Amino acid sequence: REDASVNRIVISKNHATNNGSDGISLAATNTSRNQLDFTFTENVLNDNDTYGLRLDISTDARIGMVFSQNTVTGNGSAPGTLPGDKGYHPTDGTANAGKAGGIGVFAFQQTAIKITGTNNIINGNIGDGFSVDALNYFDSLKLDMNLSNTTFNNNTLTGFRSNGISFGSLIWTTNEFSSNGEDGVRFVATDDKNDFYERRVGGSDI
């Protein structure tokens, strides 16, 4: 088995609305030879039942994403329409049922993610506006994020939430985190806090 030869994907000026699951779902596994690059611009991801955009990154995958001028609003099912339909909360426990929201990034094992972008609207989602999760003690997530002129407003949980980032850097400039149901920004490590053996492979470095 060899690494895939595809290393750049462009997703631009698309509409993904009113889908029964995610608007757009992307996955990358074992891209250790080359970083897989996405250009994701001028898309409209609205009113999808789970996430507007889902990224599943696993097993030594490395991705880079330019994320600019996108609208991600109203994703996550309306309250009372689906089981566990209020978005994922980091204190929900290990089952992680009911995951939903604007953008959901899930990292498994050793992963590295770079996201840069500007002028996005991530508002009014049921759940977190933008969430990044590495939920197991053996996960090591390196996240480098540089976002500007982006709104994370009026989401039912947080504007931006991370659970379990191990390494990386975050540069946020002239963004807005307003009128969310919980925190504007939240960084947590619930599995680390509850793990008696403190087995997380990397410590938080923010």
Side-chain angles (χ1 to χ4, degrees), residues 128-199:
D128 301 303
F130 197 128
S131 59
V132 182
D133 290 298
L135 297 174
N136 301 293
Y137 73 83
F138 50 76
D139 296 333
S140 176
L141 168 60
K142 182 177 187 291
L143 175 66
D144 293 305
M145 174 182 282
N146 189 331
L147 285 180
S148 63
N149 298 317
T150 293
T151 61
F152 302 80
N153 297 339
N154 298 110
N155 301 287
T156 63
L157 292 179
T158 70
F160 178 93
R161 177 185 58 76
S162 168
N163 186 353
I165 292 176
S166 298
F167 306 99
S169 62
L170 291 92
I171 301 172
W172 291 340
T173 308
T174 59
N175 300 299
E176 185 175 315
F177 304 86
S178 299
S179 301
N180 295 288
E182 296 190 2
D183 300 319
V185 177
R186 176 189 289 160
F187 291 92
V188 294
T190 56
D191 287 342
D192 300 351
K193 181 178 69 174
N194 297 324
D195 184 6
F196 177 80
Y197 298 101
E198 299 181 347
R199 293 169 291 184

Side-chain angles (χ1 to χ4, degrees), residues 65-151:
M65 176 174 283
V66 174
F67 189 84
S68 293
Q69 296 180 276
N70 299 290
T71 299
V72 185
T73 60
N75 299 285
S77 58
T81 60
L82 292 175
D85 57 6
K86 295 182 180 179
Y88 166 66
H89 192 287
T91 59
D92 283 348
T94 57
N96 302 334
K99 296 189 290 285
I103 300 169
V105 179
F106 299 92
F108 178 70
Q109 294 186 347
Q110 284 68 53
T111 57
I113 302 169
K114 296 180 181 179
I115 300 175
T116 62
T118 189
N119 294 318
N120 300 287
I121 299 170
I122 306 173
N123 297 345
N125 297 286
I126 298 171
D128 301 303
F130 197 128
S131 59
V132 182
D133 290 298
L135 297 174
N136 301 293
Y137 73 83
F138 50 76
D139 296 333
S140 176
L141 168 60
K142 182 177 187 291
L143 175 66
D144 293 305
M145 174 182 282
N146 189 331
L147 285 180
S148 63
N149 298 317
T150 293
T151 61

Side-chain angles (χ1 to χ4, degrees), residues 15-27:
H15 284 70
T17 62
N18 295 298
N19 294 290
S21 184
D22 303 315
I24 294 178
S25 181
L26 304 172

